[in-house]
């Protein structure tokens, strides 16, 4: 069941005139809020967010308890308490410790809704329950049925972030494999997932991929469809093998070996999906346990090196799972972490849940100062790149939405919500991606890496969840822009790294001490990985982090955009 928002209309419970005069207005306020949320907020899966309204206005503890009982049966994960008037505070507020809370106190002069709001914030603070305070800037008339813009913005952010958290709860993170190359983010901290996110953690050995492939525990028709789509749409790119100075078990892959790689990769991708979500077709073949899946909303694959030293890498699988489409057309992205970096996987998950778009996994590779760029290429950075930029390049896998090949009606490069993707958009992403034979120095077992350079100057938000001993999780959030370099400059810089990998040049917005320049952002980044998504959504991320009680250790979001609990 998808997460729902509960709407609690609270009222002055005094009978014989006061309550009766407020009944219609109070319930109308609840209906307006519910309708507004449902029309404007959608789950990452695409459905409108459903609101559940209390059966009556709440004027005392008995009605408050009845409301709580109703919500407990409806998967209500967050409540918005609304009131135009004074109420008996501790008798009417939501005291359920499991819900995320907000109170909208109507700013009017006829009744003291603002006074109730202030008293409610005091009560929540004393009870140790975080609560968001929503109060309009301007005084409104008692019969006004329009939600003010500033109130609307806060209601939407509250509902969006609370729903994202609710949809994550009770889902699984599936570690396929274990720790990749000693990367600390690959060490799965089960307590973090359980205590902060309400998620379950599953471990699946990578040998399960081989078992399912050998025993035919996959959907043959789906595999054949995937392979045909790959042959038609996924164009092979440059083969850098053999490269000077590297010693291989084999110097290159033959055409026949590449063909066999693609067949295995297509099967592996289907198997990943089956492990996460299940597949009824497996039950038809008699594999009842495997058909159920792991109830997963997030996955990760170790790959390097226990797998990639002898088997095709999972770059294609990781790239396609994270994208807004596959061989069946547009679909919701499936957050899936390279090198089983679960902390960056959580970042992917947060970004996707908040925006309904694909999030791009990346290494935080290099800071290029303007002087260094000019020395190496002869070109002096300009525009958003004038102060330098960071190279975000993953070792072979990134969502194809990261190409920036999709454009809007004005010709601007964008990344879309998955349900808005068209066949033309999908083709543009595929046409701007080449699948390069894996560099055998890194990936001895072969495979194919997604290779592209992000187009356009797009607003984006780069983030990373970290974990600090004795403190717990923290999150870093930096808004900025992608940079499209001149073709010769892009080529010169890529050749210094790996031209077969997906590449994005990122220019942070430098507007405070924590982000005073591009170098400082790079130097203060908490890990070797991060993830970015289209749009400046740092304010949403801060709100979501506050709901989860995750501190923000670095950000460049203006103070006026930040919405956190009152205390």
């Amino acid at each position: 069941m998808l997460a729902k928002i509960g709407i609690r209309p609270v009222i002055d419970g005094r009978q014989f005139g006061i309550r009766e005069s407020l009944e219609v207005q109070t319930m109308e306020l609840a209906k307006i809020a519910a309708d507004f949320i449902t029309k404007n907020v959608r789950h990452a899966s695409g459905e409108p967010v459903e609101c559940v309204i209390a059966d009556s206005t709440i004027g005392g503890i008995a009605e408050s308890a009845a409301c709580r009982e109703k919500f407990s049966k409806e998967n209500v994960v967050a409540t918005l308490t609304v009131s135009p008037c004074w109420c008996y505070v501790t008798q009417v507020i939501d005291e359920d410790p499991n819900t995320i809370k907000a109170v909208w106190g109507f700013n009017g002069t006829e009744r003291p809704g603002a006074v109730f709001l202030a008293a409610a914030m005091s009560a929540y603070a004393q009870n140790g329950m975080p609560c968001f305070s929503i109060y309009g800037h301007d005084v409104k008339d008692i019969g006004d049925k329009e939600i003010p813009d500033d109130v609307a913005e806060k209601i939407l952010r509250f509902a969006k972030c609370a729903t994202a958290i609710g949809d994550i709860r009770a889902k699984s993170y599936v570690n396929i494999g274990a720790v990749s190359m000693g990367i600390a983010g690959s060490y799965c901290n089960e307590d973090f997932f359980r205590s902060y996110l309400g998620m379950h953690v599953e471990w699946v050995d990578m040998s399960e991929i081989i078992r399912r492939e050998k025993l035919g525990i996959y959907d043959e028709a789906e595999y054949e469809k995937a392979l045909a789509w790959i042959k038609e749409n996924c164009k092979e790119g440059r083969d850098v093998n053999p490269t000077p100075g590297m010693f291989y078990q084999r110097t290159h892959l033959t055409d026949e070996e590449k063909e066999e790689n693609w067949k295995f990769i297509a099967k592996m991708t289907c198997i990943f999906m089956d492990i996460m979500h299940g597949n009824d077709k497996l039950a038809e073949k008699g594999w009842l346990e495997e058909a159920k899946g792991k109830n997963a909303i997030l996955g990760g694959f170790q790959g390097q090196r226990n797998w990639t030293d002898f088997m095709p890498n999972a770059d294609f699988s990781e790239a396609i799972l994270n994208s807004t489409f596959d061989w069946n057309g547009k679909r919701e992205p499936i957050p899936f972490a390279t090198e089983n970096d679960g902390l960056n996987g959580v970042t992917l998950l947060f970004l996707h849940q908040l925006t309904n778009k694909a999030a791009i996994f990346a290494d935080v590779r290099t800071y290029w100062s303007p002087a260094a760029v000019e020395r190496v290429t002869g070109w002096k950075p300009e525009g958003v790149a004038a102060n330098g930029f960071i190279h975000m390049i993953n070792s072979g896998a990134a969502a194809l939405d990261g190409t920036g090949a999709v454009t809007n009606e004005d010709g601007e490069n964008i990344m879309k919500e998955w349900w808005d993707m068209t066949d033309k958009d999908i083709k543009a992403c595929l046409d701007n991606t080449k699948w390069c034979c894996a560099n055998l120095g890194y990936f001895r077992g072969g495979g194919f890496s997604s290779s592209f350079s992000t187009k356009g100057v797009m607003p984006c938000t780069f983030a990373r969840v970290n974990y600090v001993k004795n403190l717990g999780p923290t999150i870093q959030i930096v808004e900025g822009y992608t940079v499209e370099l001149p073709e010769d400059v892009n080529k010169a810089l890529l050749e210094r790294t790996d031209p077969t990998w997906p590449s994005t040049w990122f220019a942070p917005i430098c507007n405070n001490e924590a982000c005073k320049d591009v170098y400082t952002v790079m130097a203060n980044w908490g890990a070797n990985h991060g993830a970015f998504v289209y749009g400046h959504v740092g304010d949403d991320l801060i709100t979501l982090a506050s709901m989860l009680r995750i501190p923000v250790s670095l950000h460049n979001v203006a103070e006026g955009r930040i919405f956190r609990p009152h205390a």
Side-chain angles (χ1 to χ4, degrees):
M1 185 187 297
L2 292 170
K4 299 176 185 178
I5 304 293
I7 310 295
R8 307 176 71 260
V10 299
I11 197 168
D12 188 328
R14 286 174 286 190
Q15 193 182 356
F16 305 122
I18 294 179
R19 177 166 187 161
E20 290 82 354
S21 68
L22 293 165
E23 283 283 2
V24 173
Q25 182 193 4
T26 305
M27 185 56 79
E28 187 66 24
L29 203 62
K31 292 177 180 177
I32 290 170
D35 183 64
F36 178 71
I37 291 170
T38 298
K39 286 181 177 178
N40 290 281
V41 184
R42 295 169 76 170
H43 295 276
S45 54
E47 297 90 337
V49 171
E50 183 181 345
C51 291
V52 181
I53 302 175
D55 291 334
S56 69
T57 57
I58 300 167
I61 188 61
E63 290 156 329
S64 183
C67 174
R68 180 171 174 172
E69 177 68 18
K70 177 179 181 177
F71 288 178
S72 69
K73 301 173 183 177
E74 296 279 356
N75 196 32
V76 167
V77 299
T79 61
L80 174 63
T81 297
V82 301
S83 182
C85 61
W86 171 253
C87 308
Y88 293 175
V89 184
T90 57
Q91 296 182 24
V92 300
I93 60 173
D94 175 17
E95 295 183 321
D96 185 341
N98 298 313
T99 57
I100 303 166
K101 301 163 182 62
V103 178
W104 173 23
F106 184 79
N107 187 1
T109 55
E110 292 84 357
R111 296 286 182 179
V115 178
F116 162 69
L117 174 62
M121 292 303 107
S122 173
Y124 278 124
Q126 290 182 59
N127 290 332
M129 293 182 176
C131 183
F132 290 82
S133 173
I134 301 175
Y135 180 58
H137 185 273
D138 297 318
V139 172
K140 309 297 288 184
D141 296 331
I142 194 168
D144 197 326
K145 296 184 179 180
E146 293 293 323
I147 300 177
D149 289 345
D150 58 333
V151 171
E153 181 182 353
K154 291 179 178 178
I155 289 176
L156 287 184
R157 185 169 300 155
F158 173 79
K160 181 195 305 182
C161 295
T163 301
I165 291 170
D167 287 340
I168 290 170
R169 288 179 181 171
K171 292 291 178 29
S172 300
Y173 164 42
V174 177
N175 298 265
I176 302 176
V179 178
S180 176
M181 300 182 292
I183 295 172
S186 297
Y187 287 83
C188 180
N189 185 324
E190 184 176 9
D191 182 65
F192 161 62
F193 280 91
R194 192 178 303 280
S195 299
Y196 282 85
L197 308 180
M199 290 179 63
H200 175 75
V201 176
E202 283 280 305
W203 283 267
V204 175
D205 193 88
M206 290 185 290
S207 63
E208 177 68 1
I209 310 301
I210 297 174
R211 184 183 79 92
R212 293 193 183 208
E213 193 270 339
K214 294 296 184 186
L215 299 181
I217 310 173
Y218 58 88
D219 183 344
E220 286 92 346
E222 190 74 4
Y223 154 67
E224 293 291 349
K225 186 176 183 180
L227 183 62
W229 182 82
I230 289 169
K231 289 180 177 180
E232 181 178 354
N233 296 285
C234 299
K235 309 304 179 188
E236 290 188 26
R238 175 179 175 181
D239 188 343
V240 297
N241 301 297
T243 54
M246 291 286 190
F247 300 91
Y248 307 107
Q249 294 170 307
R250 48 187 173 177
T251 59
H252 65 282
L253 298 182
T254 65
D255 289 343
E256 291 76 16
E257 286 174 317
K258 290 179 180 179
E259 177 70 18
E260 290 304 309
N261 267 202
W262 275 123
K263 291 178 181 178
F264 185 86
I265 289 165
K267 292 176 186 176
M268 178 165 60
T269 308
C270 294
I271 290 169
F272 282 157
M273 292 183 180
D274 292 348
I275 289 173
M276 292 183 69
H277 300 153
N279 187 338
D280 291 340
K281 294 293 183 181
L282 304 186
E284 294 176 10
K285 300 175 69 174
W287 300 99
L288 303 183
E289 183 180 3
E290 291 83 353
K292 293 180 174 64
K294 300 293 185 180
N295 189 41
I297 196 170
L298 171 65
F301 183 64
Q302 175 193 335
Q304 297 187 76
R305 292 187 29 223
N306 303 84
W307 179 272
T308 56
D309 274 9
F310 80 110
M311 296 294 289
N313 67 25
D315 287 357
F316 173 84
S317 306
E318 294 165 10
I320 288 299
L321 289 175
N322 279 300
S323 297
T324 53
F325 58 87
D326 60 19
W327 49 88
N328 289 313
K330 62 184 177 185
R331 58 131 174 86
E332 182 184 357
I334 303 169
F336 199 84
T338 296
E339 294 158 2
N340 201 27
D341 183 347
L343 292 176
N344 211 46
V346 170
T347 312
L348 289 173
L349 182 60
F350 285 173
L351 294 174
H352 166 58
Q353 289 290 123
L354 285 175
T355 66
N356 314 312
K357 298 167 185 159
I360 318 301
F361 191 109
D363 277 4
V364 188
R365 186 80 178 209
T366 312
Y367 161 62
W368 279 98
S369 68
V373 175
E374 190 170 10
R375 178 183 64 81
V376 170
T377 68
W379 176 74
K380 184 176 182 179
E382 56 190 31
V384 296
N387 296 315
F389 44 81
I390 295 171
H391 196 190
M392 302 194 298
I393 179 170
N394 198 26
S395 52
L400 272 58
D401 302 69
T403 59
V406 176
T407 57
N408 61 18
E409 57 273 12
D410 297 321
E412 298 168 327
N413 303 88
I414 61 171
M415 298 183 211
K416 290 184 175 181
E417 292 175 307
W418 69 265
W419 52 72
D420 287 330
M421 290 291 285
T422 65
D423 290 343
K424 178 182 177 182
D425 297 330
I426 294 171
K427 185 177 187 303
C429 291
L430 290 165
D431 288 347
N432 282 275
T433 304
K434 299 298 183 186
W435 297 94
C436 299
C437 182
N439 185 326
L440 295 176
Y442 293 106
F443 305 114
R444 299 173 189 172
F448 293 89
S449 298
S450 54
S451 176
F452 60 77
S453 291
T454 300
K455 293 179 174 292
V457 177
M458 296 185 290
C460 63
T461 302
F462 192 51
R464 164 77 189 190
V465 173
N466 298 301
Y467 199 90
V468 181
K469 186 176 181 179
N470 298 327
L471 175 63
T474 66
I475 188 169
Q476 296 177 300
I477 303 163
V478 177
E479 297 179 339
Y481 295 90
T482 61
V483 176
E484 184 172 6
L485 300 178
E487 187 173 347
D488 59 332
V489 175
N490 185 61
K491 181 178 180 181
L493 299 187
L494 273 180
E495 289 294 332
R496 298 172 69 98
T497 307
D498 194 311
T500 69
W501 292 347
S503 168
T504 302
W505 310 101
F506 172 66
I509 296 171
C510 300
N511 58 1
N512 60 27
E513 188 61 27
C515 301
K516 63 183 179 182
D517 53 40
V518 182
Y519 172 81
T520 302
V521 173
M522 176 74 183
N524 289 334
W525 203 249
N528 55 312
H529 292 151
F532 72 92
V533 74
Y534 180 85
H536 288 159
V537 297
D539 45 6
D540 288 338
L541 266 178
I542 290 174
T543 296
L544 181 140
S546 72
M547 291 176 173
L548 294 169
R549 313 310 282 166
I550 296 176
V552 180
S553 59
L554 181 150
H555 76 85
N556 62 351
V557 179
E559 187 65 30
R561 294 170 55 203
I562 294 174
F563 184 41
R564 287 186 170 118
H566 189 264

Tab-separated table of all heavy atoms in Angstrom, residues 2 7 33 64 126 140 236 266 292 325 331 333 366 429 447 449 456 466:
chain	number	residue	atom	x	y	z
A	2	LEU	N	0.570	2.182	-0.886
A	2	LEU	CA	1.339	3.424	-0.948
A	2	LEU	C	1.048	4.302	0.259
A	2	LEU	O	-0.024	4.240	0.856
A	2	LEU	CB	1.002	4.180	-2.237
A	2	LEU	CG	1.468	3.523	-3.538
A	2	LEU	CD1	0.865	4.243	-4.743
A	2	LEU	CD2	2.983	3.506	-3.627
A	7	ILE	N	-5.255	14.167	7.028
A	7	ILE	CA	-5.628	15.566	7.268
A	7	ILE	C	-6.510	15.618	8.515
A	7	ILE	O	-7.554	14.956	8.584
A	7	ILE	CB	-6.376	16.185	6.072
A	7	ILE	CG1	-5.609	15.928	4.763
A	7	ILE	CG2	-6.586	17.677	6.302
A	7	ILE	CD1	-4.264	16.585	4.679
A	33	ALA	N	-7.107	21.463	1.625
A	33	ALA	CA	-5.724	20.980	1.738
A	33	ALA	C	-5.566	19.606	1.086
A	33	ALA	O	-4.598	19.356	0.353
A	33	ALA	CB	-5.308	20.924	3.205
A	64	SER	N	-9.745	12.837	18.742
A	64	SER	CA	-8.351	12.676	18.311
A	64	SER	C	-7.978	11.195	18.261
A	64	SER	O	-7.322	10.735	17.320
A	64	SER	CB	-7.427	13.425	19.264
A	64	SER	OG	-6.090	13.350	18.837
A	126	GLN	N	8.019	20.300	23.791
A	126	GLN	CA	8.104	19.727	25.132
A	126	GLN	C	7.982	18.207	25.119
A	126	GLN	O	8.556	17.515	25.973
A	126	GLN	CB	7.012	20.329	26.019
A	126	GLN	CG	7.241	21.797	26.356
A	126	GLN	CD	6.171	22.341	27.285
A	126	GLN	OE1	6.001	21.830	28.388
A	126	GLN	NE2	5.450	23.353	26.838
A	140	LYS	N	-5.652	36.681	6.051
A	140	LYS	CA	-6.697	36.340	5.077
A	140	LYS	C	-8.074	36.488	5.724
A	140	LYS	O	-8.213	36.435	6.958
A	140	LYS	CB	-6.513	34.898	4.594
A	140	LYS	CG	-5.111	34.572	4.101
A	140	LYS	CD	-4.696	35.382	2.885
A	140	LYS	CE	-5.433	34.949	1.636
A	140	LYS	NZ	-4.953	35.679	0.445
A	236	GLU	N	27.601	-0.156	-30.316
A	236	GLU	CA	28.921	-0.305	-29.713
A	236	GLU	C	29.811	0.865	-30.090
A	236	GLU	O	29.744	1.402	-31.195
A	236	GLU	CB	29.563	-1.623	-30.139
A	236	GLU	CG	28.883	-2.832	-29.518
A	236	GLU	CD	29.623	-4.128	-29.780
A	236	GLU	OE1	30.864	-4.070	-29.983
A	236	GLU	OE2	28.987	-5.192	-29.779
A	266	ALA	N	22.246	-9.387	-20.968
A	266	ALA	CA	20.785	-9.276	-21.068
A	266	ALA	C	20.103	-10.157	-20.023
A	266	ALA	O	19.154	-9.739	-19.354
A	266	ALA	CB	20.319	-9.646	-22.475
A	292	LYS	N	8.960	-14.649	-5.919
A	292	LYS	CA	8.469	-13.638	-4.973
A	292	LYS	C	9.341	-12.389	-4.916
A	292	LYS	O	8.867	-11.307	-4.569
A	292	LYS	CB	8.364	-14.261	-3.576
A	292	LYS	CG	7.307	-15.342	-3.448
A	292	LYS	CD	7.273	-15.903	-2.031
A	292	LYS	CE	6.125	-16.883	-1.843
A	292	LYS	NZ	6.243	-18.090	-2.671
A	325	PHE	N	13.746	4.201	-18.688
A	325	PHE	CA	13.195	3.347	-19.758
A	325	PHE	C	14.041	2.093	-19.880
A	325	PHE	O	15.178	2.005	-19.395
A	325	PHE	CB	13.192	4.094	-21.095
A	325	PHE	CG	14.560	4.561	-21.523
A	325	PHE	CD1	15.409	3.733	-22.241
A	325	PHE	CD2	15.010	5.827	-21.196
A	325	PHE	CE1	16.677	4.153	-22.617
A	325	PHE	CE2	16.274	6.263	-21.564
A	325	PHE	CZ	17.107	5.416	-22.279
A	331	ARG	N	9.535	3.630	-17.954
A	331	ARG	CA	9.169	3.004	-16.682
A	331	ARG	C	9.905	3.741	-15.561
A	331	ARG	O	10.871	4.459	-15.785
A	331	ARG	CB	9.490	1.518	-16.649
A	331	ARG	CG	10.949	1.196	-16.902
A	331	ARG	CD	11.508	0.249	-15.863
A	331	ARG	NE	12.855	-0.162	-16.190
A	331	ARG	CZ	13.933	0.540	-15.857
A	331	ARG	NH1	13.813	1.683	-15.209
A	331	ARG	NH2	15.147	0.121	-16.186
A	333	PRO	N	12.439	4.555	-12.821
A	333	PRO	CA	13.816	4.125	-12.575
A	333	PRO	C	13.915	3.208	-11.354
A	333	PRO	O	13.128	3.321	-10.405
A	333	PRO	CB	14.559	5.442	-12.330
A	333	PRO	CG	13.727	6.485	-12.996
A	333	PRO	CD	12.312	6.018	-12.858
A	366	THR	N	37.723	14.639	-10.311
A	366	THR	CA	38.790	15.632	-10.436
A	366	THR	C	38.234	17.046	-10.346
A	366	THR	O	37.175	17.333	-10.922
A	366	THR	CB	39.509	15.503	-11.801
A	366	THR	OG1	39.841	14.143	-12.049
A	366	THR	CG2	40.757	16.360	-11.855
A	429	CYS	N	18.294	9.624	-25.983
A	429	CYS	CA	19.234	9.124	-24.965
A	429	CYS	C	20.075	7.978	-25.516
A	429	CYS	O	21.297	7.920	-25.295
A	429	CYS	CB	18.474	8.660	-23.725
A	429	CYS	SG	17.704	9.980	-22.773
A	447	GLY	N	32.494	-7.134	-20.847
A	447	GLY	CA	31.297	-6.331	-20.624
A	447	GLY	C	31.330	-5.083	-21.475
A	447	GLY	O	32.199	-4.919	-22.351
A	449	SER	N	30.641	-0.696	-21.290
A	449	SER	CA	30.439	0.494	-20.461
A	449	SER	C	29.647	1.544	-21.228
A	449	SER	O	29.861	1.742	-22.434
A	449	SER	CB	31.782	1.083	-20.039
A	449	SER	OG	32.510	0.154	-19.263
A	456	GLY	N	24.588	20.264	-22.671
A	456	GLY	CA	23.846	21.412	-22.183
A	456	GLY	C	24.270	21.914	-20.815
A	456	GLY	O	25.084	21.314	-20.117
A	466	ASN	N	26.612	10.261	3.886
A	466	ASN	CA	27.807	9.707	4.519
A	466	ASN	C	27.436	9.132	5.886
A	466	ASN	O	26.324	9.332	6.367
A	466	ASN	CB	28.877	10.793	4.683
A	466	ASN	CG	29.324	11.360	3.353
A	466	ASN	OD1	29.811	10.631	2.495
A	466	ASN	ND2	29.150	12.664	3.165
